[in-house]
mmCIF file of all heavy atoms in Angstrom:
data_model
loop_
_atom_site.group_PDB
_atom_site.id
_atom_site.type_symbol
_atom_site.label_atom_id
_atom_site.label_comp_id
_atom_site.label_asym_id
_atom_site.label_seq_id
_atom_site.Cartn_x
_atom_site.Cartn_y
_atom_site.Cartn_z
ATOM 1 N N SER A 231 33.169 -20.667 -45.965
ATOM 2 C CA SER A 231 32.412 -19.615 -45.297
ATOM 3 C C SER A 231 30.961 -19.754 -45.739
ATOM 4 O O SER A 231 30.690 -19.836 -46.945
ATOM 5 C CB SER A 231 32.963 -18.234 -45.671
ATOM 6 O OG SER A 231 32.178 -17.218 -45.088
ATOM 7 N N GLU A 232 30.059 -19.789 -44.779
ATOM 8 C CA GLU A 232 28.651 -19.996 -45.135
ATOM 9 C C GLU A 232 27.746 -19.138 -44.250
ATOM 10 O O GLU A 232 28.086 -18.758 -43.125
ATOM 11 C CB GLU A 232 28.276 -21.468 -45.020
ATOM 12 C CG GLU A 232 28.397 -22.035 -43.624
ATOM 13 C CD GLU A 232 28.067 -23.526 -43.597
ATOM 14 O OE1 GLU A 232 28.789 -24.310 -44.256
ATOM 15 O OE2 GLU A 232 27.080 -23.868 -42.912
ATOM 16 N N TYR A 233 26.590 -18.855 -44.823
ATOM 17 C CA TYR A 233 25.563 -18.077 -44.132
ATOM 18 C C TYR A 233 24.711 -19.030 -43.298
ATOM 19 O O TYR A 233 24.115 -19.978 -43.826
ATOM 20 C CB TYR A 233 24.713 -17.345 -45.168
ATOM 21 C CG TYR A 233 23.540 -16.575 -44.607
ATOM 22 C CD1 TYR A 233 23.723 -15.475 -43.787
ATOM 23 C CD2 TYR A 233 22.235 -16.948 -44.940
ATOM 24 C CE1 TYR A 233 22.642 -14.761 -43.295
ATOM 25 C CE2 TYR A 233 21.143 -16.232 -44.458
ATOM 26 C CZ TYR A 233 21.356 -15.144 -43.634
ATOM 27 O OH TYR A 233 20.290 -14.441 -43.148
ATOM 28 N N VAL A 234 24.649 -18.796 -41.978
ATOM 29 C CA VAL A 234 23.894 -19.676 -41.089
ATOM 30 C C VAL A 234 22.426 -19.303 -41.064
ATOM 31 O O VAL A 234 21.543 -20.172 -41.139
ATOM 32 C CB VAL A 234 24.488 -19.631 -39.665
ATOM 33 C CG1 VAL A 234 23.644 -20.470 -38.701
ATOM 34 C CG2 VAL A 234 25.931 -20.123 -39.685
ATOM 35 N N GLY A 235 22.114 -18.005 -40.964
ATOM 36 C CA GLY A 235 20.720 -17.597 -40.939
ATOM 37 C C GLY A 235 20.547 -16.227 -40.294
ATOM 38 O O GLY A 235 21.500 -15.618 -39.783
ATOM 39 N N ARG A 236 19.308 -15.753 -40.349
ATOM 40 C CA ARG A 236 18.960 -14.446 -39.791
ATOM 41 C C ARG A 236 18.101 -14.629 -38.534
ATOM 42 O O ARG A 236 17.171 -15.442 -38.515
ATOM 43 C CB ARG A 236 18.219 -13.592 -40.811
ATOM 44 C CG ARG A 236 17.647 -12.295 -40.259
ATOM 45 C CD ARG A 236 17.267 -11.346 -41.385
ATOM 46 N NE ARG A 236 18.459 -10.799 -42.038
ATOM 47 C CZ ARG A 236 18.433 -9.820 -42.939
ATOM 48 N NH1 ARG A 236 17.266 -9.275 -43.308
ATOM 49 N NH2 ARG A 236 19.551 -9.394 -43.497
ATOM 50 N N SER A 237 18.436 -13.856 -37.521
ATOM 51 C CA SER A 237 17.684 -13.890 -36.265
ATOM 52 C C SER A 237 17.000 -12.548 -36.078
ATOM 53 O O SER A 237 17.635 -11.490 -36.198
ATOM 54 C CB SER A 237 18.619 -14.168 -35.080
ATOM 55 O OG SER A 237 19.317 -15.386 -35.257
ATOM 56 N N ARG A 238 15.718 -12.601 -35.765
ATOM 57 C CA ARG A 238 14.944 -11.376 -35.516
ATOM 58 C C ARG A 238 14.453 -11.388 -34.069
ATOM 59 O O ARG A 238 13.711 -12.299 -33.674
ATOM 60 C CB ARG A 238 13.758 -11.274 -36.476
ATOM 61 C CG ARG A 238 14.167 -11.239 -37.953
ATOM 62 C CD ARG A 238 12.933 -11.173 -38.844
ATOM 63 N NE ARG A 238 13.284 -11.233 -40.252
ATOM 64 C CZ ARG A 238 13.596 -10.179 -41.007
ATOM 65 N NH1 ARG A 238 13.570 -8.957 -40.458
ATOM 66 N NH2 ARG A 238 13.892 -10.322 -42.275
ATOM 67 N N TYR A 239 14.858 -10.399 -33.328
ATOM 68 C CA TYR A 239 14.459 -10.262 -31.920
ATOM 69 C C TYR A 239 13.570 -9.034 -31.807
ATOM 70 O O TYR A 239 13.971 -7.924 -32.179
ATOM 71 C CB TYR A 239 15.678 -10.110 -31.014
ATOM 72 C CG TYR A 239 16.689 -11.243 -31.165
ATOM 73 C CD1 TYR A 239 17.800 -11.097 -31.994
ATOM 74 C CD2 TYR A 239 16.517 -12.431 -30.477
ATOM 75 C CE1 TYR A 239 18.728 -12.116 -32.122
ATOM 76 C CE2 TYR A 239 17.445 -13.464 -30.594
ATOM 77 C CZ TYR A 239 18.549 -13.301 -31.429
ATOM 78 O OH TYR A 239 19.466 -14.321 -31.559
ATOM 79 N N ARG A 240 12.392 -9.253 -31.293
ATOM 80 C CA ARG A 240 11.435 -8.155 -31.247
ATOM 81 C C ARG A 240 11.751 -7.180 -30.100
ATOM 82 O O ARG A 240 12.349 -7.545 -29.090
ATOM 83 C CB ARG A 240 10.006 -8.664 -31.108
ATOM 84 C CG ARG A 240 9.681 -9.363 -29.807
ATOM 85 C CD ARG A 240 8.261 -9.912 -29.854
ATOM 86 N NE ARG A 240 7.881 -10.608 -28.635
ATOM 87 C CZ ARG A 240 7.312 -10.014 -27.592
ATOM 88 N NH1 ARG A 240 7.055 -8.701 -27.636
ATOM 89 N NH2 ARG A 240 7.007 -10.703 -26.507
ATOM 90 N N MET A 241 11.322 -5.968 -30.322
ATOM 91 C CA MET A 241 11.467 -4.915 -29.318
ATOM 92 C C MET A 241 10.305 -4.998 -28.337
ATOM 93 O O MET A 241 9.159 -5.230 -28.720
ATOM 94 C CB MET A 241 11.500 -3.541 -29.999
ATOM 95 C CG MET A 241 11.668 -2.355 -29.037
ATOM 96 S SD MET A 241 10.079 -1.741 -28.366
ATOM 97 C CE MET A 241 9.245 -1.178 -29.827
ATOM 98 N N VAL A 242 10.621 -4.802 -27.043
ATOM 99 C CA VAL A 242 9.598 -4.784 -25.997
ATOM 100 C C VAL A 242 9.637 -3.408 -25.337
ATOM 101 O O VAL A 242 10.685 -3.000 -24.825
ATOM 102 C CB VAL A 242 9.841 -5.889 -24.946
ATOM 103 C CG1 VAL A 242 8.779 -5.827 -23.855
ATOM 104 C CG2 VAL A 242 9.862 -7.254 -25.615
ATOM 105 N N PRO A 243 8.545 -2.648 -25.375
ATOM 106 C CA PRO A 243 8.560 -1.295 -24.806
ATOM 107 C C PRO A 243 8.800 -1.313 -23.304
ATOM 108 O O PRO A 243 8.402 -2.246 -22.598
ATOM 109 C CB PRO A 243 7.165 -0.741 -25.140
ATOM 110 C CG PRO A 243 6.618 -1.651 -26.198
ATOM 111 C CD PRO A 243 7.235 -2.986 -25.963
ATOM 112 N N GLN A 244 9.441 -0.269 -22.856
ATOM 113 C CA GLN A 244 9.548 -0.047 -21.416
ATOM 114 C C GLN A 244 8.224 0.524 -20.923
ATOM 115 O O GLN A 244 7.651 1.409 -21.556
ATOM 116 C CB GLN A 244 10.676 0.927 -21.102
ATOM 117 C CG GLN A 244 10.872 1.195 -19.615
ATOM 118 C CD GLN A 244 11.866 2.315 -19.358
ATOM 119 O OE1 GLN A 244 11.605 3.475 -19.688
ATOM 120 N NE2 GLN A 244 13.004 1.966 -18.795
ATOM 121 N N LYS A 245 7.738 0.013 -19.811
ATOM 122 C CA LYS A 245 6.452 0.472 -19.285
ATOM 123 C C LYS A 245 6.663 1.147 -17.941
ATOM 124 O O LYS A 245 7.392 0.643 -17.086
ATOM 125 C CB LYS A 245 5.482 -0.708 -19.146
ATOM 126 C CG LYS A 245 5.098 -1.326 -20.488
ATOM 127 C CD LYS A 245 4.057 -2.421 -20.317
ATOM 128 C CE LYS A 245 3.652 -3.000 -21.665
ATOM 129 N NZ LYS A 245 2.623 -4.061 -21.529
ATOM 130 N N ARG A 246 6.008 2.287 -17.792
ATOM 131 C CA ARG A 246 6.115 3.022 -16.541
ATOM 132 C C ARG A 246 4.792 3.714 -16.239
ATOM 133 O O ARG A 246 3.967 3.912 -17.140
ATOM 134 C CB ARG A 246 7.243 4.058 -16.602
ATOM 135 C CG ARG A 246 6.999 5.157 -17.636
ATOM 136 C CD ARG A 246 8.127 6.155 -17.652
ATOM 137 N NE ARG A 246 7.834 7.302 -18.511
ATOM 138 C CZ ARG A 246 8.624 8.357 -18.640
ATOM 139 N NH1 ARG A 246 9.760 8.404 -17.976
ATOM 140 N NH2 ARG A 246 8.284 9.362 -19.432
ATOM 141 N N VAL A 247 4.621 4.074 -14.998
ATOM 142 C CA VAL A 247 3.416 4.799 -14.577
ATOM 143 C C VAL A 247 3.856 6.112 -13.944
ATOM 144 O O VAL A 247 4.923 6.214 -13.324
ATOM 145 C CB VAL A 247 2.571 3.967 -13.584
ATOM 146 C CG1 VAL A 247 1.958 2.773 -14.276
ATOM 147 C CG2 VAL A 247 3.407 3.512 -12.398
ATOM 148 N N ILE A 248 3.016 7.139 -14.117
ATOM 149 C CA ILE A 248 3.290 8.469 -13.591
ATOM 150 C C ILE A 248 2.170 8.836 -12.634
ATOM 151 O O ILE A 248 0.994 8.736 -12.957
ATOM 152 C CB ILE A 248 3.390 9.504 -14.723
ATOM 153 C CG1 ILE A 248 4.476 9.087 -15.723
ATOM 154 C CG2 ILE A 248 3.668 10.895 -14.172
ATOM 155 C CD1 ILE A 248 4.580 9.981 -16.934
ATOM 156 N N GLY A 249 2.558 9.252 -11.445
ATOM 157 C CA GLY A 249 1.578 9.607 -10.435
ATOM 158 C C GLY A 249 0.848 10.892 -10.770
ATOM 159 O O GLY A 249 1.441 11.854 -11.261
ATOM 160 N N VAL A 250 -0.446 10.923 -10.518
ATOM 161 C CA VAL A 250 -1.267 12.116 -10.786
ATOM 162 C C VAL A 250 -2.061 12.531 -9.556
ATOM 163 O O VAL A 250 -2.886 13.441 -9.636
ATOM 164 C CB VAL A 250 -2.229 11.861 -11.967
ATOM 165 C CG1 VAL A 250 -1.462 11.670 -13.262
ATOM 166 C CG2 VAL A 250 -3.121 10.649 -11.694
ATOM 167 N N SER A 251 -1.827 11.881 -8.420
ATOM 168 C CA SER A 251 -2.568 12.234 -7.219
ATOM 169 C C SER A 251 -2.069 13.575 -6.685
ATOM 170 O O SER A 251 -0.877 13.731 -6.414
ATOM 171 C CB SER A 251 -2.400 11.157 -6.150
ATOM 172 O OG SER A 251 -3.058 11.533 -4.951
ATOM 173 N N PRO A 252 -2.958 14.602 -6.547
ATOM 174 C CA PRO A 252 -2.504 15.913 -6.057
ATOM 175 C C PRO A 252 -2.053 15.810 -4.614
ATOM 176 O O PRO A 252 -2.535 14.972 -3.853
ATOM 177 C CB PRO A 252 -3.756 16.793 -6.194
ATOM 178 C CG PRO A 252 -4.893 15.819 -6.139
ATOM 179 C CD PRO A 252 -4.406 14.550 -6.779
ATOM 180 N N PRO A 253 -1.114 16.674 -4.225
ATOM 181 C CA PRO A 253 -0.661 16.643 -2.828
ATOM 182 C C PRO A 253 -1.776 17.050 -1.874
ATOM 183 O O PRO A 253 -2.664 17.830 -2.229
ATOM 184 C CB PRO A 253 0.500 17.649 -2.819
ATOM 185 C CG PRO A 253 0.212 18.560 -3.971
ATOM 186 C CD PRO A 253 -0.456 17.710 -5.021
ATOM 187 N N GLU A 254 -1.732 16.507 -0.696
ATOM 188 C CA GLU A 254 -2.743 16.823 0.295
ATOM 189 C C GLU A 254 -2.586 18.264 0.784
ATOM 190 O O GLU A 254 -1.471 18.743 0.988
ATOM 191 C CB GLU A 254 -2.629 15.869 1.485
ATOM 192 C CG GLU A 254 -2.939 14.420 1.137
ATOM 193 C CD GLU A 254 -2.890 13.529 2.362
ATOM 194 O OE1 GLU A 254 -2.608 14.072 3.457
ATOM 195 O OE2 GLU A 254 -3.122 12.324 2.236
ATOM 196 N N THR A 255 -3.735 18.984 0.919
ATOM 197 C CA THR A 255 -3.718 20.360 1.401
ATOM 198 C C THR A 255 -3.679 20.361 2.923
ATOM 199 O O THR A 255 -4.548 19.770 3.563
ATOM 200 C CB THR A 255 -4.970 21.115 0.923
ATOM 201 O OG1 THR A 255 -5.037 21.056 -0.506
ATOM 202 C CG2 THR A 255 -4.929 22.562 1.384
ATOM 203 N N PRO A 256 -2.671 20.993 3.513
ATOM 204 C CA PRO A 256 -2.593 20.988 4.977
ATOM 205 C C PRO A 256 -3.745 21.765 5.583
ATOM 206 O O PRO A 256 -4.237 22.744 5.029
ATOM 207 C CB PRO A 256 -1.237 21.644 5.262
ATOM 208 C CG PRO A 256 -0.962 22.475 4.047
ATOM 209 C CD PRO A 256 -1.562 21.735 2.891
ATOM 210 N N ALA A 257 -4.208 21.328 6.733
ATOM 211 C CA ALA A 257 -5.302 21.996 7.437
ATOM 212 C C ALA A 257 -4.842 23.368 7.915
ATOM 213 O O ALA A 257 -3.682 23.553 8.311
ATOM 214 C CB ALA A 257 -5.748 21.152 8.625
ATOM 215 N N PRO A 258 -5.739 24.402 7.861
ATOM 216 C CA PRO A 258 -5.340 25.753 8.287
ATOM 217 C C PRO A 258 -5.000 25.774 9.772
ATOM 218 O O PRO A 258 -5.626 25.099 10.578
ATOM 219 C CB PRO A 258 -6.571 26.605 7.968
ATOM 220 C CG PRO A 258 -7.711 25.620 7.951
ATOM 221 C CD PRO A 258 -7.134 24.341 7.421
ATOM 222 N N THR A 259 -4.014 26.601 10.101
ATOM 223 C CA THR A 259 -3.585 26.733 11.488
ATOM 224 C C THR A 259 -4.430 27.788 12.186
ATOM 225 O O THR A 259 -4.545 28.921 11.713
ATOM 226 C CB THR A 259 -2.099 27.128 11.558
ATOM 227 O OG1 THR A 259 -1.344 26.140 10.852
ATOM 228 C CG2 THR A 259 -1.630 27.201 13.002
ATOM 229 N N VAL A 260 -5.071 27.438 13.295
ATOM 230 C CA VAL A 260 -5.921 28.360 14.048
ATOM 231 C C VAL A 260 -5.115 28.920 15.211
ATOM 232 O O VAL A 260 -4.577 28.171 16.035
ATOM 233 C CB VAL A 260 -7.179 27.641 14.576
ATOM 234 C CG1 VAL A 260 -8.048 28.600 15.385
ATOM 235 C CG2 VAL A 260 -7.964 27.053 13.416
ATOM 236 N N SER A 261 -5.027 30.256 15.237
ATOM 237 C CA SER A 261 -4.292 30.912 16.310
ATOM 238 C C SER A 261 -5.232 31.163 17.476
ATOM 239 O O SER A 261 -6.255 31.836 17.344
ATOM 240 C CB SER A 261 -3.700 32.246 15.820
ATOM 241 O OG SER A 261 -3.046 32.902 16.867
ATOM 242 N N GLN A 262 -4.930 30.636 18.624
ATOM 243 C CA GLN A 262 -5.769 30.769 19.806
ATOM 244 C C GLN A 262 -5.099 31.679 20.823
ATOM 245 O O GLN A 262 -3.938 31.480 21.177
ATOM 246 C CB GLN A 262 -6.021 29.401 20.432
ATOM 247 C CG GLN A 262 -6.810 28.452 19.526
ATOM 248 C CD GLN A 262 -7.087 27.136 20.206
ATOM 249 O OE1 GLN A 262 -6.528 26.876 21.269
ATOM 250 N NE2 GLN A 262 -7.943 26.330 19.607
#
C-alpha cells in the first residue's frame, strides 16, 4: 500500500448578472 500523491483542484466562482433596468412607464391613456 503506497501513497500516490495529493491533487489540488481550485475553486472557480459562479458568475451571474442581475438586471437593474427599471420597467418602462406606460404612456397615460387620454379619454376622448
Side-chain angles (χ1 to χ4, degrees):
S231 176
E232 63 183 62
Y233 176 66
V234 176
R236 172 165 289 189
S237 302
R238 300 179 184 273
Y239 305 97
R240 66 184 180 90
M241 181 273 297
V242 179
Q244 181 188 67
K245 294 184 178 181
R246 64 180 187 176
V247 291
I248 303 175
V250 294
S251 177
E254 295 183 0
T255 303
T259 303
V260 179
S261 177
Q262 296 182 350

